[in-house]
Amino acid sequence: MYDLIIIGAGPAGTAAGVYAARKKLKTLLITEEFGGQSSVSETIYNWIGSPEIGGQELAKAFQSHLEYYEDGETLTIHKGTRAASVANNDDGSFTITDAHDNAYQTRAVFIASGSARRKLPATGADRLEHKGLTYCASCDGPLFSGMDVVVIGGGNAGFETAAQLLAYCKSVTLLQHRGEYKADPITVEKVLSRGHMTGILNAKTLEVTGEQFVDGLVYEDVTTGKQHRLEVKGIFVEIGQIPNSGIVEDLVDLTDSKQIIADPYTQRTSVPGIWAAGDVTDVRYHQNNISAGDAVKALEDIYQYLHRQ
C-alpha cells in the first residue's frame, strides 16, 4: 500500500514527486515521459531560475531531480508506461492499474496527466510545427520580436496570447473561425484597440506555407468563400486543449470541456483522497510555474490529509 501515487511527470508531477519524497511519503510515480508539453519547445524563457532553457533540457532536469530521490522505498518511479484506470475501494483507498495491467494500492492519488494541444487542421501545419508554428506563446513568443505574426483562436487564450505578443511583435492578426469572438467582451475591446492589432472573423485557416520555416498562411472567408493570404513569420495556435482526464472521467467531477474540477485552495477534487493540478484541471492559466506551484500546494494538503487519518 502506497501513501500516494502520482500520475504524470510534467512540472506538476515532478514538483509533487519531489515534495512527496522530502516528506517521506511512500510514493509511486507513473509516467510515460518527463517534461510535459514544454518538452517539445525549442527554448523556454519563463521557467523561473533559468533565463532560457530548451524543452528537452528541462525534461531531463525534471527526470534528474526525481531520480535524485528515487530509492525504491520512499519514491519509486515507473517510467515508459501510463496509468490506465483509477478505482476507489470500499475502505477509502484506491487501486490504480497501469497499461500493462499491473495494479497498485494507494491511500491518496495526485493526477498531473496534463493535456494535449488541439492541433491545427490545416495543410502544412504538422510539417512546420516548431518551425514558425507554435502552440506556446509564453515559450516561443520572444523569438518573433519585431515580426508580423498570427494568432489562431478567438477565445480568452487567443486574446491573452495576442496581448502578450503585442509587447514585442511588429503586428498581430487574430483569426477566428466563427462570426463572433468567444473571449470576454472587455478583453476583446481592449486588445483590438491596439494600433498594431487586427481581428478577422469568419476566417478558416486552410494552409500554412513555407519551405524550411513559416512564411505565411492562407485562410478562407467562410461567408464569401474567398481565399486570402497573410505574409507572416509566426503562427500561434490557441484553439483549445484536450485534457488527459479519461482515467477518472467516471469518478471525479469534470467541466464540460473534460477538465478536472479542482479546489484552487487545496487542489482537491470532488472525491476525497484525489488531488489534481496542471493542465488536466480547470486552472485559469496554463503555465509551467503555476502547475508546479499548485502541485506544491496539493502536496502540503495531501500530507495533512494522510497524517489525520
Side-chain angles (χ1 to χ4, degrees), residues 6-252:
I6 298 168
I7 299 171
T14 299
V18 168
Y19 269 71
R22 292 184 61 82
K23 290 179 179 297
K24 301 299 182 182
L25 299 178
K26 185 178 181 182
T27 303
L28 171 65
L29 186 146
I30 302 172
T31 187
E32 285 190 280
E33 57 187 5
F34 297 86
Q37 289 189 45
S38 290
S39 62
V40 300
S41 296
E42 189 164 320
T43 309
I44 299 163
Y45 295 93
N46 62 344
W47 179 247
I48 300 303
S50 298
E52 60 179 77
I53 186 171
Q56 282 299 307
E57 185 182 357
L58 181 62
K60 289 176 181 177
F62 284 171
Q63 182 174 355
S64 177
H65 202 170
L66 286 168
E67 290 177 345
Y68 176 85
Y69 290 103
E70 185 179 19
D71 57 8
E73 182 60 34
T74 301
L75 176 63
T76 301
I77 302 172
H78 286 184
K79 53 192 174 186
T81 188
R82 60 180 177 81
S85 66
V86 179
N88 49 357
N89 304 320
D90 292 339
D91 63 357
S93 66
F94 301 89
T95 299
I96 294 183
T97 305
D98 69 14
H100 304 295
D101 292 326
N102 299 306
Y104 308 96
Q105 307 298 314
T106 182
R107 298 167 62 200
V109 180
F110 179 75
I111 302 171
S113 49
S115 66
R117 294 276 185 172
R118 197 178 300 278
K119 298 292 187 177
L120 180 66
T123 302
D126 288 344
R127 180 175 61 84
L128 290 167
E129 187 172 337
H130 309 304
K131 298 176 181 178
L133 185 146
T134 177
Y135 293 84
C136 183
S138 296
C139 308
D140 303 324
L143 298 173
F144 298 88
S145 180
M147 301 181 188
D148 297 310
V149 302
V150 161
V151 175
I152 300 175
N156 282 319
F159 274 88
E160 288 164 5
T161 291
Q164 179 179 337
L165 294 171
L166 284 168
Y168 37 76
C169 290
K170 180 180 178 182
S171 72
V172 179
T173 301
L174 185 144
L175 304 183
Q176 162 69 328
H177 188 186
R178 299 178 182 178
E180 60 182 16
Y181 301 112
K182 296 187 294 179
D184 299 329
I186 190 169
T187 300
V188 173
E189 181 180 0
K190 183 176 180 179
V191 174
L192 290 182
S193 68
R194 301 283 293 276
H196 52 308
M197 176 73 204
T198 302
I200 302 176
L201 294 168
N202 299 305
K204 179 181 179 181
T205 304
L206 300 178
E207 183 180 4
V208 178
T209 64
E211 293 299 325
Q212 298 300 317
F213 297 96
V214 167
D215 64 17
L217 66 75
V218 177
Y219 73 90
E220 177 187 49
D221 183 327
V222 297
T223 62
T224 66
K226 187 176 180 179
Q227 294 185 10
H228 305 268
R229 175 177 169 80
L230 296 175
E231 305 284 343
V232 295
K233 297 297 185 183
I235 298 172
F236 296 82
V237 183
E238 290 289 356
I239 56 175
Q241 294 185 323
I242 304 171
N244 299 320
S245 60
I247 57 173
V248 290
E249 64 179 341
D250 297 322
L251 188 58
V252 303

Side-chain angles (χ1 to χ4, degrees), residues 2-17:
Y2 288 97
D3 291 324
L4 174 66
I5 291 181
I6 298 168
I7 299 171
T14 299

